Amino acid sequence: MNISIIGTGYVGLVSGVGLAEKGHQVICVDTDPEKVRSINEGVPPIFEKGLAPLLEDLVEDGRLVATTDTVSAVKDTDVTFICVGTPSKPDGSIDTSFLKGASNDVADGLDAKGRYHMVVVKSTVVPGTTEDITRSALERKGFRAGEDFGLGMNPEFLREGVALNDFRYPDRIVIGGLDDKSKKILSTLYENFDVPLVVTDIKTAEMIKYASNALLATKISFANEVSRMCEKIGIDVYDVMDGVGSDHRVKRDFLNAGVGFGGSCFPKDLKALIYFSRAQGIEPRILDSVVRVNEQQPIHTVNVLEDMMGRLTGKKVAILGLAFKADTDDVRESRAIPMVKELRRRGARVVGYDPQAADNFAEVVDNFEPVESVEEALTGADGCILQTDWDEFKGLVEDDFMVMADPVVLDGRRVLNPDDLPRIKYRAIGR
Ligand code: UDX
């Protein structure tokens, strides 16, 4: 099929590349001419493992092009995916202004095309939004839903760092459609993916995305709450969750206790679902608690470190890992941010190192100058928190920590094996 993708952020670009790889012809659209130029040169404007060589090949083969011109992209294609951001507003609800803009642009494209077009929202939006915003924008221009255009909602479940793989081999593809024709077009588009299709209505598809992320975040906060009990009674939450997770009804994934969850999705999507729930008159007790446990977890981490080190005033603390998780330079909602604030509030001097995310972190935390290496961070430090599960940290050995003034190490991500660290004062969250 000929597909246009509006928005070349993370979701749009990975989806565009993934669909082009599967044999579709893709036009990526973005308002930023710099991004468009970069994509047309085969260089992704974002960092994601494996994306660069694939994009280069697809651009070279003419299977993916980028443009700033939405109208001609829509006119020249059969299906348009809207993949623009829906950031949080201060009250937690989603800001749909980019979606509104994109939907109006698609309406202009439909005008120019003059025949049936399939419009799909991939952006994460609360139930009702695809119809309230995208359908309305097209109808305001005089197009009839089902007659002049098809409408779909097709949420993404891409994890940063492994997004291409998640696109190629998803557990399922969720397709919400306005009518049978819309569902049929989207099912055909995904027919050479060998995975189950969940075909449903638009609102259900919108809710599946939020409910999925909320449940995964709930698993993490649940594991973190249990981990605090385990710390008190001297057992290991990882052993507990191995036992819990071997029940096929539960599954072991996303039960790893640690410093809490961050990133661009879980915190934002929880806030949006909480707002949505209240707007329906339903008190979101579970979701509220999931957020509260997650906000306490970095503070709890600092409490454990203080318990190991004594008063933090005047001490040097090294944070290893500033990204919200490994294999990304993304620091959005990274647990290192509240951790640095809390350590400083208690009078500690904080240094930090990250193999990819240092510059981004320095932009969001005032007066923070990341250092260039693990060694520089640890030298003379009185304590250390392992905040991100980078492979580089998994390879650290006891001698690496002996440059510290006092080798006190708190493992927030289970990257080290204490059996190999007899001279280190080691503790891990949940153990
Ligand atoms: C997530 C969802 O997984 C994805 O489906 C959605 O579309 C976007 O949001 P992402 O934010 O890239 O993806 O990262 P993910 O790997 O899910 O981790 C999210 C956070 O939870 C990270 O901070 C991670 O460190 C943390 N986490 C994850 C835990 O603390 N424990 C776990 O067991 C799993």
Side-chain angles (χ1 to χ4, degrees):
M1 280 184 196
N2 289 311
I3 298 171
S4 46
I5 306 244
I6 305 198
T8 64
Y10 198 76
V11 172
L13 191 57
V14 172
S15 304
V17 165
L19 288 168
E21 189 189 27
K22 283 282 180 181
H24 298 292
Q25 194 65 37
V26 174
I27 305 178
C28 288
V29 186
D30 206 286
T31 49
D32 182 345
E34 198 43 46
K35 282 189 186 167
V36 166
R37 191 192 51 77
S38 171
I39 293 168
N40 282 330
E41 283 171 7
V43 180
I46 52 159
F47 169 75
E48 175 63 31
K49 217 164 44 185
L51 194 60
L54 189 52
L55 179 67
E56 199 183 345
D57 286 352
L58 292 167
V59 169
E60 211 173 279
D61 295 351
R63 279 156 62 193
L64 186 148
V65 292
T67 175
T68 53
D69 183 357
T70 312
V71 172
S72 67
V74 172
K75 191 159 74 66
D76 296 342
T77 52
D78 311 306
V79 182
T80 297
F81 282 88
I82 302 181
C83 305
V84 293
T86 49
S88 284
K89 291 205 279 197
D91 62 9
S93 64
I94 54 167
D95 177 351
T96 52
S97 49
F98 297 120
L99 182 65
K100 280 185 191 137
S103 302
N104 287 329
D105 291 348
V106 172
D108 292 340
L110 245 65
D111 231 354
K113 183 177 178 186
R115 60 196 151 75
Y116 187 88
H117 193 79
M118 179 71 201
V119 183
V120 190
V121 172
K122 213 179 219 325
S123 305
T124 299
V125 291
V126 296
T129 311
T130 298
E131 302 214 41
D132 288 350
I133 291 186
T134 303
R135 179 179 182 161
S136 301
L138 296 164
E139 286 181 338
R140 266 200 309 277
K141 276 253 170 186
F143 299 112
R144 292 156 303 166
E147 302 278 328
D148 303 317
F149 67 93
L151 190 64
M153 204 283 148
N154 173 220
E156 53 81 23
F157 300 94
L158 308 174
R159 289 165 301 163
E160 286 185 30
V162 285
L164 267 179
N165 235 41
D166 282 351
F167 193 88
R168 288 177 182 135
Y169 313 106
D171 289 339
R172 77 315 200 182
I173 292 170
V174 176
I175 290 173
L178 172 80
D179 50 14
D180 287 346
K181 187 172 176 184
S182 303
K183 290 174 186 168
K184 178 86 194 317
I185 292 172
L186 276 175
S187 305
T188 310
L189 191 141
Y190 283 114
E191 71 190 353
N192 50 4
F193 285 71
D194 189 21
V195 294
L197 299 183
V198 178
V199 182
T200 182
D201 60 81
I202 289 178
K203 271 192 196 149
T204 305
E206 290 169 326
M207 188 55 118
I208 288 173
K209 165 75 191 208
Y210 279 98
S212 298
N213 273 358
L215 183 59
L216 291 169
T218 303
K219 288 183 83 174
I220 299 170
S221 277
F222 176 80
N224 282 333
E225 187 160 292
V226 173
S227 86
R228 294 186 206 165
M229 297 178 224
C230 293
E231 287 166 6
K232 283 274 179 209
I233 60 172
I235 58 173
D236 187 344
V237 70
Y238 274 57
D239 294 341
V240 172
M241 291 306 158
D242 285 348
V244 173
S246 50
D247 184 330
H248 76 276
R249 294 168 302 178
V250 179
K251 275 195 151 185
R252 178 64 178 81
D253 306 63
F254 282 72
L255 288 173
N256 289 328
V259 295
F261 57 80
S264 63
C265 285
F266 286 174
K268 161 180 158 321
D269 292 353
L270 275 170
K271 278 187 216 152
L273 192 57
I274 285 171
Y275 184 94
F276 179 79
S277 176
R278 291 220 165 87
Q280 310 307 312
I282 296 151
E283 194 49 29
R285 294 182 210 290
I286 292 176
L287 302 178
D288 265 343
S289 304
V290 170
V291 171
R292 213 169 320 133
V293 170
N294 196 53
E295 280 168 1
Q296 286 163 354
Q297 201 61 12
I299 312 299
H300 171 74
T301 304
V302 173
N303 288 342
V304 175
L305 186 75
E306 192 167 51
D307 192 44
M308 296 170 77
M309 288 173 60
R311 274 175 63 92
L312 295 173
T313 320
K315 304 257 176 76
K316 176 181 171 184
V317 175
I319 298 192
L320 297 188
L322 304 168
F324 84 93
K325 65 171 192 180
D327 297 326
T328 174
D329 63 352
D330 198 340
V331 299
R332 281 175 289 179
E333 300 281 344
S334 165
R335 299 294 81 197
I337 299 170
M339 221 178 259
V340 168
K341 282 195 186 132
E342 185 61 20
L343 286 163
R344 283 177 170 174
R345 202 184 62 76
R346 298 187 196 189
R349 188 164 68 82
V350 190
V351 294
Y353 165 75
D354 192 284
Q356 291 283 348
D359 292 345
N360 288 342
F361 195 79
E363 271 174 33
V364 296
V365 176
D366 288 342
N367 304 319
F368 194 86
E369 280 185 31
V371 295
E372 300 288 317
S373 65
V374 171
E375 189 184 358
E376 204 180 335
L378 292 179
T379 301
D382 304 289
C384 159
I385 298 175
L386 274 149
Q387 199 283 135
T388 314
D389 46 346
W390 282 107
D391 277 347
E392 180 181 345
F393 304 151
K394 292 180 184 157
L396 292 175
V397 296
E398 193 173 63
D399 277 348
D400 293 317
F401 294 99
M402 297 320 286
V403 295
M404 295 174 72
D406 191 10
V408 175
V409 176
L410 175 54
D411 190 347
R413 297 285 191 179
R414 297 302 171 104
V415 290
L416 300 173
N417 181 358
D419 295 341
D420 302 333
L421 308 166
R423 290 177 293 162
I424 306 290
K425 286 176 217 152
Y426 173 93
R427 266 200 233 171
I429 292 295
R431 165 162 159 170

